[in-house]
Amino acid sequence: QKEVEQNSGPLSVPEGAIASLNCTYSDRVSQSFFWYRQYSGKSPELIMSIYSNGDKEDGRFTAQLNKASQYVSLLIRDSQPSDSATYLCAVRGYTNAGKSTFGDGTTLTVKP
Amino acid sequence: EPEVTQTPSHQVTQMGQEVILRCVPISNHLYFYWYRQILGQKVEFLVSFYNNEISEKSEIFDDQFSVERPDGSNFTLKIRSTKLEDSAMYFCASSDGARELFFGEGSRLTVL
């Protein structure tokens, strides 16, 4: 079983639609959860972090965390062509210096 | 906005040669990391560094790899004798301990 597993892509949505990205993780002691956006050939860019159960909204992005189900998701509302990228889910343990473990990523294409 | 800077952006080397990748983390950050991403694959943790010593390292980070913070600002990754399979994008990241990692733009290493 992979430590961090993301829904297989690629995912294609029309402009203006909601894109839904999912991630599950295996380590129950994980404390911190992140979504990064990575454009081709570029570095990961942090777009959302979430630490407690429930929803966290930031502009068009909403992250949802359910620790009991070991599940974290990202919703992108009003998707734009500029949102087309690979989205990486990352999970981190309880220590400040602890590593973040990344999923394989889900590639999103938003079609105009 | 503070950022993590990495040099060189691209390095080509012959197999067996030593390579040093350099990073300047965000100035008030205390935790430093190296990750790598082989083309088309996921972001993989290599090593974390805090208080002038390695906090955690992955099985990838074998005796051929070393890290150093020689002068209080630079954070370096050395690969002593490069192999073809070391070809990848290497990302430096830093954190103030508040959980979020910020990545540099990466150094692409090509081993011939």
Side-chain angles (χ1 to χ4, degrees):
Chain A
Q1 182 189 8
K2 291 182 180 179
E3 291 183 70
V4 179
E5 197 149 358
Q6 297 186 235
N7 52 326
S8 60
L11 177 65
S12 180
V13 300
E15 184 174 355
I18 295 175
S20 176
L21 304 162
N22 303 317
C23 173
T24 57
Y25 58 94
S26 61
D27 190 349
R28 285 194 168 274
V29 301
S30 300
Q31 294 293 319
S32 307
F33 308 88
F34 308 95
W35 284 100
Y36 288 85
R37 177 174 61 198
Q38 187 176 33
Y39 293 114
S40 182
K42 301 296 186 182
S43 63
E45 175 192 6
L46 180 68
I47 53 172
M48 288 289 284
S49 58
I50 187 166
Y51 308 111
S52 55
N53 284 328
D55 295 359
K56 179 181 178 182
E57 187 174 318
D58 183 1
R60 295 185 296 111
F61 300 96
T62 299
Q64 299 172 317
L65 175 61
N66 183 327
K67 290 187 178 180
S69 300
Q70 296 173 243
Y71 173 87
V72 58
S73 67
L74 180 70
L75 298 177
I76 307 175
R77 289 181 301 282
D78 188 24
S79 295
Q80 301 297 310
S82 59
D83 294 327
S84 297
T86 297
Y87 288 81
L88 309 177
C89 173
V91 173
R92 194 166 174 197
Y94 54 86
T95 60
N96 282 342
K99 66 178 183 182
S100 289
T101 301
F102 285 78
D104 290 334
T106 300
T107 299
L108 171 67
T109 300
V110 181
K111 296 187 174 179
Chain B
E1 184 176 319
E3 59 180 17
V4 177
T5 57
Q6 290 186 240
T7 54
S9 56
H10 187 194
Q11 180 152 0
V12 181
T13 190
Q14 295 292 323
M15 190 169 54
Q17 295 298 302
E18 176 182 284
V19 162
I20 297 176
L21 305 179
R22 292 181 169 81
C23 169
V24 179
I26 295 173
S27 62
N28 63 338
H29 284 187
L30 302 175
Y31 302 86
F32 314 113
Y33 308 82
W34 284 100
Y35 287 79
R36 80 171 186 189
Q37 187 175 31
I38 295 171
L39 186 65
Q41 298 186 24
K42 68 178 181 180
V43 176
E44 298 176 292
F45 169 77
L46 292 179
V47 65
S48 59
F49 191 86
Y50 170 71
N51 200 25
N52 283 320
E53 60 183 22
I54 290 174
S55 302
E56 188 176 358
K57 59 183 180 180
S58 72
E59 57 193 27
I60 302 169
F61 194 89
D62 61 21
D63 291 346
Q64 293 301 310
F65 290 87
S66 63
V67 289
E68 195 176 39
R69 188 161 159 80
D71 57 12
S73 61
N74 289 284
F75 178 51
T76 62
L77 174 69
K78 181 191 291 185
I79 309 174
R80 289 189 184 82
S81 178
T82 50
K83 302 187 284 284
L84 295 176
E85 54 265 37
D86 293 328
S87 295
M89 183 75 92
Y90 288 81
F91 294 112
C92 175
S94 70
S95 168
D96 63 1
R99 311 181 198 178
E100 296 171 345
L101 295 185
F102 294 90
F103 284 83
E105 290 299 307
S107 293
R108 179 171 299 284
L109 175 64
T110 302
V111 182
L112 303 176

